Amino acid sequence: MSLADAVEGKEYIIKDILTDDEELDAFLFSLGCYSGESITVVTKKKKNMTVSIKDARYSIDIQLASAIMI
């Protein structure tokens, strides 16, 4: 299941990041978004969502959320 399918307000554990872009992988890792880390969907809208990782909140688009497997 990808993060794009996640339910608002529920905490998940990241299982994998599926992307071919090394820069994107490095960027997500710098945010604390990597396998084994917990992630919570704070709000979810049609084209973007706000997630909480390590007590910080980030706004990501649905395309990026689709690359994060939970």
Side-chain angles (χ1 to χ4, degrees), residues 10-28:
K10 188 172 177 186
E11 184 176 301
Y12 298 92
I13 301 295
I14 299 170
K15 294 188 178 177
D16 198 12
I17 307 292
L18 302 178
T19 179
D20 296 330
D21 188 352
E22 288 184 26
E23 285 184 36
L24 183 57
D25 281 341
F27 172 70
L28 289 171

PDB file of all heavy atoms in Angstrom, residues 10-28:
ATOM      1  N   LYS A  10      -3.794   8.450  10.954  1.00  0.00           N
ATOM      2  CA  LYS A  10      -3.263   7.159  11.370  1.00  0.00           C
ATOM      3  C   LYS A  10      -1.750   7.114  11.158  1.00  0.00           C
ATOM      4  O   LYS A  10      -1.238   7.658  10.199  1.00  0.00           O
ATOM      5  CB  LYS A  10      -3.933   6.043  10.563  1.00  0.00           C
ATOM      6  CG  LYS A  10      -3.598   4.666  11.061  1.00  0.00           C
ATOM      7  CD  LYS A  10      -4.432   3.609  10.355  1.00  0.00           C
ATOM      8  CE  LYS A  10      -4.014   2.226  10.836  1.00  0.00           C
ATOM      9  NZ  LYS A  10      -4.678   1.179  10.100  1.00  0.00           N
ATOM     10  N   GLU A  11      -1.045   6.446  12.082  1.00  0.00           N
ATOM     11  CA  GLU A  11       0.407   6.316  11.984  1.00  0.00           C
ATOM     12  C   GLU A  11       0.767   5.029  11.247  1.00  0.00           C
ATOM     13  O   GLU A  11       0.168   3.987  11.475  1.00  0.00           O
ATOM     14  CB  GLU A  11       1.036   6.307  13.377  1.00  0.00           C
ATOM     15  CG  GLU A  11       2.538   6.280  13.358  1.00  0.00           C
ATOM     16  CD  GLU A  11       3.135   6.381  14.751  1.00  0.00           C
ATOM     17  OE1 GLU A  11       2.859   7.390  15.429  1.00  0.00           O
ATOM     18  OE2 GLU A  11       3.838   5.440  15.150  1.00  0.00           O
ATOM     19  N   TYR A  12       1.743   5.124  10.345  1.00  0.00           N
ATOM     20  CA  TYR A  12       2.203   3.984   9.557  1.00  0.00           C
ATOM     21  C   TYR A  12       3.714   3.866   9.677  1.00  0.00           C
ATOM     22  O   TYR A  12       4.392   4.819  10.051  1.00  0.00           O
ATOM     23  CB  TYR A  12       1.840   4.171   8.073  1.00  0.00           C
ATOM     24  CG  TYR A  12       0.363   4.242   7.807  1.00  0.00           C
ATOM     25  CD1 TYR A  12      -0.307   5.465   7.778  1.00  0.00           C
ATOM     26  CD2 TYR A  12      -0.375   3.088   7.575  1.00  0.00           C
ATOM     27  CE1 TYR A  12      -1.665   5.534   7.533  1.00  0.00           C
ATOM     28  CE2 TYR A  12      -1.735   3.152   7.320  1.00  0.00           C
ATOM     29  CZ  TYR A  12      -2.377   4.375   7.298  1.00  0.00           C
ATOM     30  OH  TYR A  12      -3.718   4.426   7.059  1.00  0.00           O
ATOM     31  N   ILE A  13       4.237   2.712   9.311  1.00  0.00           N
ATOM     32  CA  ILE A  13       5.676   2.486   9.243  1.00  0.00           C
ATOM     33  C   ILE A  13       6.059   2.412   7.763  1.00  0.00           C
ATOM     34  O   ILE A  13       5.440   1.672   6.990  1.00  0.00           O
ATOM     35  CB  ILE A  13       6.091   1.173   9.957  1.00  0.00           C
ATOM     36  CG1 ILE A  13       5.667   1.203  11.423  1.00  0.00           C
ATOM     37  CG2 ILE A  13       7.602   0.947   9.817  1.00  0.00           C
ATOM     38  CD1 ILE A  13       6.357   2.255  12.263  1.00  0.00           C
ATOM     39  N   ILE A  14       7.073   3.166   7.378  1.00  0.00           N
ATOM     40  CA  ILE A  14       7.539   3.165   5.991  1.00  0.00           C
ATOM     41  C   ILE A  14       8.258   1.847   5.721  1.00  0.00           C
ATOM     42  O   ILE A  14       9.165   1.471   6.450  1.00  0.00           O
ATOM     43  CB  ILE A  14       8.485   4.352   5.727  1.00  0.00           C
ATOM     44  CG1 ILE A  14       7.749   5.673   5.967  1.00  0.00           C
ATOM     45  CG2 ILE A  14       9.049   4.285   4.306  1.00  0.00           C
ATOM     46  CD1 ILE A  14       8.642   6.896   5.973  1.00  0.00           C
ATOM     47  N   LYS A  15       7.831   1.154   4.662  1.00  0.00           N
ATOM     48  CA  LYS A  15       8.446  -0.120   4.301  1.00  0.00           C
ATOM     49  C   LYS A  15       9.477   0.041   3.199  1.00  0.00           C
ATOM     50  O   LYS A  15      10.480  -0.659   3.186  1.00  0.00           O
ATOM     51  CB  LYS A  15       7.379  -1.125   3.877  1.00  0.00           C
ATOM     52  CG  LYS A  15       6.473  -1.509   5.019  1.00  0.00           C
ATOM     53  CD  LYS A  15       5.549  -2.624   4.671  1.00  0.00           C
ATOM     54  CE  LYS A  15       4.726  -2.942   5.913  1.00  0.00           C
ATOM     55  NZ  LYS A  15       3.741  -3.942   5.722  1.00  0.00           N
ATOM     56  N   ASP A  16       9.227   0.959   2.256  1.00  0.00           N
ATOM     57  CA  ASP A  16      10.137   1.127   1.129  1.00  0.00           C
ATOM     58  C   ASP A  16       9.845   2.447   0.426  1.00  0.00           C
ATOM     59  O   ASP A  16       8.744   2.983   0.533  1.00  0.00           O
ATOM     60  CB  ASP A  16       9.964  -0.035   0.141  1.00  0.00           C
ATOM     61  CG  ASP A  16      11.114  -0.202  -0.810  1.00  0.00           C
ATOM     62  OD1 ASP A  16      12.176   0.433  -0.590  1.00  0.00           O
ATOM     63  OD2 ASP A  16      10.973  -0.971  -1.776  1.00  0.00           O
ATOM     64  N   ILE A  17      10.852   2.944  -0.284  1.00  0.00           N
ATOM     65  CA  ILE A  17      10.701   4.120  -1.132  1.00  0.00           C
ATOM     66  C   ILE A  17      10.956   3.663  -2.560  1.00  0.00           C
ATOM     67  O   ILE A  17      12.048   3.180  -2.870  1.00  0.00           O
ATOM     68  CB  ILE A  17      11.719   5.233  -0.757  1.00  0.00           C
ATOM     69  CG1 ILE A  17      11.657   5.574   0.724  1.00  0.00           C
ATOM     70  CG2 ILE A  17      11.508   6.452  -1.633  1.00  0.00           C
ATOM     71  CD1 ILE A  17      10.395   6.244   1.180  1.00  0.00           C
ATOM     72  N   LEU A  18       9.957   3.779  -3.431  1.00  0.00           N
ATOM     73  CA  LEU A  18      10.072   3.309  -4.804  1.00  0.00           C
ATOM     74  C   LEU A  18      10.245   4.486  -5.755  1.00  0.00           C
ATOM     75  O   LEU A  18       9.278   5.073  -6.219  1.00  0.00           O
ATOM     76  CB  LEU A  18       8.827   2.502  -5.200  1.00  0.00           C
ATOM     77  CG  LEU A  18       8.508   1.289  -4.345  1.00  0.00           C
ATOM     78  CD1 LEU A  18       7.224   0.631  -4.820  1.00  0.00           C
ATOM     79  CD2 LEU A  18       9.656   0.300  -4.376  1.00  0.00           C
ATOM     80  N   THR A  19      11.501   4.833  -6.019  1.00  0.00           N
ATOM     81  CA  THR A  19      11.798   5.891  -6.962  1.00  0.00           C
ATOM     82  C   THR A  19      13.133   5.603  -7.634  1.00  0.00           C
ATOM     83  O   THR A  19      14.010   4.974  -7.040  1.00  0.00           O
ATOM     84  CB  THR A  19      11.817   7.277  -6.283  1.00  0.00           C
ATOM     85  OG1 THR A  19      12.127   8.262  -7.252  1.00  0.00           O
ATOM     86  CG2 THR A  19      12.813   7.348  -5.157  1.00  0.00           C
ATOM     87  N   ASP A  20      13.278   6.020  -8.880  1.00  0.00           N
ATOM     88  CA  ASP A  20      14.526   5.829  -9.613  1.00  0.00           C
ATOM     89  C   ASP A  20      15.432   7.051  -9.523  1.00  0.00           C
ATOM     90  O   ASP A  20      16.544   7.038 -10.029  1.00  0.00           O
ATOM     91  CB  ASP A  20      14.223   5.535 -11.093  1.00  0.00           C
ATOM     92  CG  ASP A  20      13.475   4.224 -11.267  1.00  0.00           C
ATOM     93  OD1 ASP A  20      13.673   3.323 -10.444  1.00  0.00           O
ATOM     94  OD2 ASP A  20      12.705   4.116 -12.243  1.00  0.00           O
ATOM     95  N   ASP A  21      14.953   8.104  -8.902  1.00  0.00           N
ATOM     96  CA  ASP A  21      15.685   9.366  -8.812  1.00  0.00           C
ATOM     97  C   ASP A  21      16.528   9.395  -7.530  1.00  0.00           C
ATOM     98  O   ASP A  21      15.990   9.434  -6.430  1.00  0.00           O
ATOM     99  CB  ASP A  21      14.688  10.522  -8.823  1.00  0.00           C
ATOM    100  CG  ASP A  21      15.334  11.881  -8.916  1.00  0.00           C
ATOM    101  OD1 ASP A  21      16.574  11.964  -8.818  1.00  0.00           O
ATOM    102  OD2 ASP A  21      14.593  12.861  -9.081  1.00  0.00           O
ATOM    103  N   GLU A  22      17.842   9.389  -7.681  1.00  0.00           N
ATOM    104  CA  GLU A  22      18.733   9.384  -6.516  1.00  0.00           C
ATOM    105  C   GLU A  22      18.627  10.675  -5.710  1.00  0.00           C
ATOM    106  O   GLU A  22      18.735  10.652  -4.482  1.00  0.00           O
ATOM    107  CB  GLU A  22      20.182   9.166  -6.959  1.00  0.00           C
ATOM    108  CG  GLU A  22      20.444   7.760  -7.427  1.00  0.00           C
ATOM    109  CD  GLU A  22      21.902   7.530  -7.774  1.00  0.00           C
ATOM    110  OE1 GLU A  22      22.766   8.227  -7.225  1.00  0.00           O
ATOM    111  OE2 GLU A  22      22.155   6.638  -8.609  1.00  0.00           O
ATOM    112  N   GLU A  23      18.412  11.799  -6.388  1.00  0.00           N
ATOM    113  CA  GLU A  23      18.258  13.078  -5.683  1.00  0.00           C
ATOM    114  C   GLU A  23      17.008  13.068  -4.814  1.00  0.00           C
ATOM    115  O   GLU A  23      17.016  13.568  -3.692  1.00  0.00           O
ATOM    116  CB  GLU A  23      18.194  14.243  -6.672  1.00  0.00           C
ATOM    117  CG  GLU A  23      19.522  14.602  -7.288  1.00  0.00           C
ATOM    118  CD  GLU A  23      19.409  15.813  -8.186  1.00  0.00           C
ATOM    119  OE1 GLU A  23      18.623  16.734  -7.877  1.00  0.00           O
ATOM    120  OE2 GLU A  23      20.117  15.825  -9.208  1.00  0.00           O
ATOM    121  N   LEU A  24      15.940  12.493  -5.331  1.00  0.00           N
ATOM    122  CA  LEU A  24      14.697  12.396  -4.564  1.00  0.00           C
ATOM    123  C   LEU A  24      14.882  11.480  -3.365  1.00  0.00           C
ATOM    124  O   LEU A  24      14.433  11.796  -2.263  1.00  0.00           O
ATOM    125  CB  LEU A  24      13.557  11.902  -5.448  1.00  0.00           C
ATOM    126  CG  LEU A  24      12.185  11.822  -4.800  1.00  0.00           C
ATOM    127  CD1 LEU A  24      11.760  13.175  -4.236  1.00  0.00           C
ATOM    128  CD2 LEU A  24      11.159  11.334  -5.796  1.00  0.00           C
ATOM    129  N   ASP A  25      15.583  10.372  -3.564  1.00  0.00           N
ATOM    130  CA  ASP A  25      15.886   9.471  -2.443  1.00  0.00           C
ATOM    131  C   ASP A  25      16.672  10.203  -1.363  1.00  0.00           C
ATOM    132  O   ASP A  25      16.367  10.083  -0.173  1.00  0.00           O
ATOM    133  CB  ASP A  25      16.698   8.261  -2.916  1.00  0.00           C
ATOM    134  CG  ASP A  25      15.844   7.197  -3.580  1.00  0.00           C
ATOM    135  OD1 ASP A  25      14.625   7.200  -3.366  1.00  0.00           O
ATOM    136  OD2 ASP A  25      16.413   6.365  -4.304  1.00  0.00           O
ATOM    137  N   ALA A  26      17.682  10.953  -1.762  1.00  0.00           N
ATOM    138  CA  ALA A  26      18.513  11.695  -0.805  1.00  0.00           C
ATOM    139  C   ALA A  26      17.692  12.756  -0.090  1.00  0.00           C
ATOM    140  O   ALA A  26      17.846  12.974   1.119  1.00  0.00           O
ATOM    141  CB  ALA A  26      19.701  12.324  -1.516  1.00  0.00           C
ATOM    142  N   PHE A  27      16.797  13.423  -0.825  1.00  0.00           N
ATOM    143  CA  PHE A  27      15.949  14.456  -0.227  1.00  0.00           C
ATOM    144  C   PHE A  27      15.021  13.841   0.816  1.00  0.00           C
ATOM    145  O   PHE A  27      14.909  14.355   1.940  1.00  0.00           O
ATOM    146  CB  PHE A  27      15.140  15.167  -1.312  1.00  0.00           C
ATOM    147  CG  PHE A  27      14.116  16.115  -0.774  1.00  0.00           C
ATOM    148  CD1 PHE A  27      14.500  17.296  -0.163  1.00  0.00           C
ATOM    149  CD2 PHE A  27      12.763  15.827  -0.856  1.00  0.00           C
ATOM    150  CE1 PHE A  27      13.556  18.176   0.350  1.00  0.00           C
ATOM    151  CE2 PHE A  27      11.819  16.689  -0.355  1.00  0.00           C
ATOM    152  CZ  PHE A  27      12.217  17.872   0.251  1.00  0.00           C
ATOM    153  N   LEU A  28      14.371  12.747   0.479  1.00  0.00           N
ATOM    154  CA  LEU A  28      13.464  12.086   1.421  1.00  0.00           C
ATOM    155  C   LEU A  28      14.224  11.598   2.648  1.00  0.00           C
ATOM    156  O   LEU A  28      13.742  11.707   3.772  1.00  0.00           O
ATOM    157  CB  LEU A  28      12.725  10.935   0.743  1.00  0.00           C
ATOM    158  CG  LEU A  28      11.667  11.344  -0.269  1.00  0.00           C
ATOM    159  CD1 LEU A  28      11.152  10.132  -1.028  1.00  0.00           C
ATOM    160  CD2 LEU A  28      10.530  12.077   0.394  1.00  0.00           C
TER     161      LEU A  28
END
